[in-house]
Amino acid sequence: MDRRRFLSSTLAGAAVAGFPHLAFGAGRRLRVRADVPAMTLSGAETILPKAVVKELGASLHGSLMLPGGEGYDAARALWNGMFDRKPALIAQCSGPADVASAVNFAREHNLLLAVRGGGHSIAGKSVCEGGLMIDLQHMNGVHVDRQRRVARVEGGALLSNLDHETLPLGLATTSGTVSHTGAGGLTLGGGIGRLCRQHGLTSDNLLSVDVVTADGKLRRAAADEHDELFWGLRGGGGNFGVATSFEYQLHPLDNEVLGGAMMYPIEQASEVLKVVNDFSRKAHRELSLSGNLLMMRNGRGFVMMSITYSGDVRKGEKHLRPLLEYGNPVRKGVQKTLYSTLQTANDQQLAAGRHYYMKSGYLPEISDEFIDELVRRVEPSDKREQVVVMTQLGGAIRDLPDDATAYSHRYGEFDLMIGAAWDDAAANDANVTWGRDYFGAVQDYTKGFYTNSLMDESADAIHKNYLGNYPRLQALKNEFDPQNLFRLNANIAPTV
Ligand SMILES: Cc1cc2nc3c(=O)[nH]c(=O)nc-3n(C[C@H](O)[C@H](O)[C@H](O)COP(=O)(O)OP(=O)(O)OC[C@H]3O[C@@H](n4cnc5c(N)ncnc54)[C@H](O)[C@@H]3O)c2cc1C
C-alpha cells in the first residue's frame, strides 16, 4: 500500500471507529482512543501507540492536536494555500519546555518534523504530511528593554508583534515588508526590509538566540556562548533547531518617514526600471527602493517605484527629487507618512490562503539588457495576478564580510522576485509553469537566491547556494543535527 493510501485509509478507519482526534493539553483529560498512524523521517509508515501520544500531550502546557480536533485545521494552514498537508500530530507549544518535549518525541520516534513560526514559508516547508508539526504561533511575546535598546522576541512572533512593541518607543530593527510574516523564519534566513540598507539584515542585528537543538537541549547562542552555532543561525535557516527566542539590537527611528509609490503605465516599464537602477547607485542608506511590475487579471499593468526614506524627511525630499519629479505618473503617492503605516500597507494585497508561486535570485548588477528581457516577458493572463519586485540591497548589508555570518549573499545589489497569485487550484500547474519559464528566461542574470524565498530548488542547488559557507554549515549540522531531524528548510545535509 502506498504512503498516501496508508495514511488516508488508517485515518478514515480511525474516524469510523470514533477516533476523537481532539486538541488537549496539560490539566485537561486526554482522549486518544486509537493508535496514531504517522510518517517517519525517511517517509516510511509508523504507528504511534496511543499511550505514548497521551504522554506527549500530558507533557505539554500548550495543546496537542490530532486530525479532526478543534483548531487542527487552522494550525496546519499556511500562508500559501497551495499546501494542504495533514500532520499526524501538532504540538502547539507554549514555551521552550514544550518545544523540548516535542523535539524529543520526534527524535525518539524518528518522526518527520516540521517547525511552524509565522507560516510564511512560500514552499510550504513548515507543515508536513503525516509527521509532527511544532507550532510556535502562541509563542509570540515581545519584551523591550528600553535602556539597552534590545527586544526579546519569542520564536513564533510575527513582525507585527515586534513593530507593535518597538515603534511606539521610537525604536526599530530591520524587519520585512509584510507584517503577518513570522520573525522566526525571516531572521534565521537573513531578513530584508525597509531598514536593511541602514542597519543591515535582521540577522545582523541579532544579539542572541535561544534554541532547542535536536538533542532536546535548550542552548543560548551568542557571541560569547556557542558562537559557532550563533554564526550558523544567522543565515542557516531552521537547520540547527527550534529558535524559541531572539534578542535584537534596536535603533532609534522617527515614525514619520517619507514613503509610498510612484506608478506609471506598464508600457513605460523599461524606462522606469532603468531610472530606478540608475538612481540606486547614488541612493542614501536611509532609502529603501524597489522597482516593481504589477499585472492584473484584467490586463491592466503598472510599473512602480516603491520608496521609503527613513531619515530626515526634508533631506529625503531633496535626495529623491529626481525620482519624485520623473515622468507623468498615473499615481504620485510618495508623501510624509508613518513607518508603522507602511509596514502594514502590503498586508491585504498578500493575504493568507491564496495560491502563490514565487522565484527569486540575487542580481549582482543590473544591465539594460536584463531589464529589457524582464519586461519583454510581462504579459497579461486571466489565470493570475503577476508581480515582479526588484529590491535594492547593499548599504549596511555590505559592511560585513561574506563569512561574518552564514548569510552568503552580501554581494547582491538587488533581490529579484517573480511571483503570481491566484485562487483556483485548477490553475496551479499553468501558473507554476509560467513562473518557472519567466524566471528561467532571466536566471542567467542572477547569482544565487535568497534562502527565505526557497521554492522548488533542487538539494544540489540549495547546497551550492550557501557558497563558501557550506562546509562550515555542514560541520555545524554534523554537530547539532546529525540525524537531519530539522530537514524541512533550505536543508544542509549532514555527512555523519
Ligand atoms: C507575504 C510574504 C512577505 C515576505 N516579505 C519578506 C520581506 O519583506 N523580507 C524578507 O526577508 N522575507 C520576506 N518573506 C520571506 C520570509 O522571510 C520567509 O518566508 C520566512 O521563512 C517566513 O518565516 P515564517 O516564520 O513566517 O515562516 P514559517 O513557514 O513558519 O517557517 C519558514 C521556515 O523557517 C523555519 N522556522 C520558522 N520559525 C522557526 C523557529 N522559530 N525556529 C526554527 N525554525 C523556524 C520553518 O521550519 C521553515 O523551514 C516574505 C514571505 C511572504 C510569504
Side-chain angles (χ1 to χ4, degrees):
M1 192 184 282
D2 71 33
R3 190 192 326 167
R4 201 174 284 262
R5 275 175 55 219
F6 163 83
L7 283 171
S8 56
S9 65
T10 322
L11 291 173
V16 170
F19 197 17
H21 295 128
L22 294 176
F24 51 72
R28 274 181 273 166
R29 206 171 118 74
L30 312 183
R31 287 194 292 144
V32 185
R33 290 197 197 118
D35 297 341
V36 177
M39 188 75 71
T40 67
L41 273 177
S42 62
E45 299 133 9
T46 189
I47 297 290
L48 299 167
K50 61 181 179 179
V52 303
V53 175
K54 279 178 82 164
E55 212 176 295
L56 172 64
S59 75
L60 302 179
H61 271 208
S63 306
L64 186 66
M65 298 170 173
L66 288 88
E70 194 188 327
Y72 172 87
D73 284 329
R76 71 184 178 86
L78 299 189
W79 170 80
N80 191 346
M82 286 255 270
F83 301 99
D84 179 27
R85 298 191 185 126
K86 297 184 174 69
L89 301 169
I90 300 178
Q92 202 161 61
C93 298
S94 71
D98 277 7
V99 172
S101 293
V103 167
N104 285 333
F105 187 87
R107 190 192 60 253
E108 282 157 17
H109 296 279
N110 196 30
L111 289 181
L112 182 63
L113 178 66
V115 179
R116 184 202 202 277
H120 277 45
S121 162
I122 304 162
K125 295 288 183 192
S126 40
V127 65
C128 55
E129 187 69 42
L132 170 65
M133 179 183 190
I134 293 184
D135 178 9
L136 305 173
Q137 283 186 77
H138 292 316
M139 290 171 55
N140 59 7
V142 176
H143 176 262
V144 180
D145 181 334
R146 236 174 141 164
Q147 295 292 317
R148 291 169 58 225
R149 290 185 182 153
V150 168
R152 189 178 181 84
V153 176
E154 282 189 290
L158 304 182
L159 300 179
S160 58
N161 300 124
L162 176 61
D163 282 348
H164 182 71
E165 297 300 336
T166 64
L167 296 183
L169 304 177
L171 295 170
T173 198
T174 303
S175 74
T177 53
V178 176
S179 86
H180 43 69
T181 310
L186 179 130
T187 303
L188 294 167
I192 294 169
R194 294 188 169 88
L195 303 178
C196 66
R197 289 174 35 75
Q198 210 177 349
H199 299 302
L201 302 164
T202 311
S203 55
D204 295 340
N205 289 282
L206 265 182
L207 299 174
S208 74
V209 185
D210 280 356
V211 57
V212 175
T213 45
D215 56 7
K217 292 205 171 97
L218 176 65
R219 300 167 199 267
R220 176 178 175 272
D224 60 354
E225 199 176 351
H226 292 301
D227 57 334
E228 187 65 5
L229 180 58
F230 186 48
W231 175 86
L233 288 165
R234 289 174 290 164
N239 268 287
F240 305 113
V242 183
T244 55
S245 70
F246 301 91
E247 270 192 319
Y248 300 99
Q249 184 66 62
L250 303 175
H251 310 272
L253 177 79
D254 187 345
N255 201 10
E256 191 175 80
V257 297
L258 201 55
M262 303 282 288
M263 287 174 80
Y264 303 83
I266 193 74
E267 290 71 23
Q268 295 173 29
S270 276
E271 54 195 85
V272 172
L273 292 185
K274 287 172 190 171
V275 167
V276 167
N277 183 36
D278 288 345
F279 190 84
S280 71
R281 297 177 210 277
K282 50 180 182 286
H284 292 174
R285 287 183 170 208
E286 290 86 347
L287 178 63
S288 164
L289 176 65
S290 66
N292 310 339
L293 306 179
L294 291 180
M295 183 56 81
M296 333 281 212
R297 273 162 203 267
N298 62 11
R300 290 189 75 198
F302 299 96
V303 54
M304 286 166 57
M305 302 175 188
S306 183
I307 289 170
T308 304
Y309 191 89
S310 48
D312 177 79
V313 168
R314 274 169 193 260
K315 224 168 126 184
E317 281 165 345
K318 200 167 153 213
H319 179 52
L320 292 170
R321 199 164 294 147
L323 294 184
L324 304 185
E325 293 178 354
Y326 178 76
N328 294 307
V330 290
R331 184 161 169 264
K332 206 170 174 173
V334 179
Q335 58 196 3
K336 264 193 232 172
T337 182
L338 298 181
Y339 177 83
S340 48
T341 304
L342 294 176
Q343 282 293 87
T344 55
N346 297 327
D347 285 8
Q348 282 298 323
Q349 218 181 343
L350 286 160
R354 302 193 68 198
H355 293 217
Y356 293 95
Y357 185 82
M358 295 183 183
K359 289 290 274 186
S360 101
Y362 289 105
L363 297 162
E365 58 173 6
I366 293 186
S367 62
D368 286 357
E369 188 195 26
F370 159 74
I371 290 177
D372 292 340
E373 184 62 25
L374 189 72
V375 169
R376 202 172 65 76
R377 294 269 162 177
V378 178
E379 52 182 35
S381 164
D382 60 3
K383 286 195 169 61
R384 60 189 162 260
E385 285 111 56
Q386 302 165 30
V387 62
V388 175
V389 181
M390 272 172 27
T391 304
Q392 190 188 4
L393 302 173
I397 298 174
R398 286 257 174 74
D399 289 348
L400 297 177
D402 282 349
D403 61 354
T405 69
Y407 178 84
S408 313
H409 304 282
R410 294 186 189 274
Y411 58 82
E413 273 294 335
F414 279 82
D415 179 46
L416 170 71
M417 199 275 294
I418 294 175
W422 66 99
D423 299 299
D424 179 7
N428 286 359
D429 289 348
N431 289 336
V432 168
T433 302
W434 167 86
R436 284 188 187 141
D437 288 350
Y438 193 157
F439 187 75
V442 293
Q443 189 165 10
D444 284 351
Y445 296 93
T446 67
K447 180 182 168 195
F449 61 91
Y450 182 29
T451 46
N452 274 348
S453 304
L454 183 72
M455 194 70 238
D456 45 15
E457 291 75 13
S458 67
D460 188 47
I462 292 170
H463 297 168
K464 289 192 175 128
N465 193 47
Y466 287 107
L467 304 176
N469 287 333
Y470 193 67
R472 208 169 148 187
L473 284 163
Q474 202 165 42
L476 265 176
K477 187 76 174 173
N478 286 344
E479 183 180 350
F480 288 101
D481 187 18
Q483 207 189 331
N484 205 8
L485 189 59
F486 301 106
R487 62 179 62 190
L488 296 180
N489 44 46
N491 198 231
I492 296 158
T495 51
V496 287

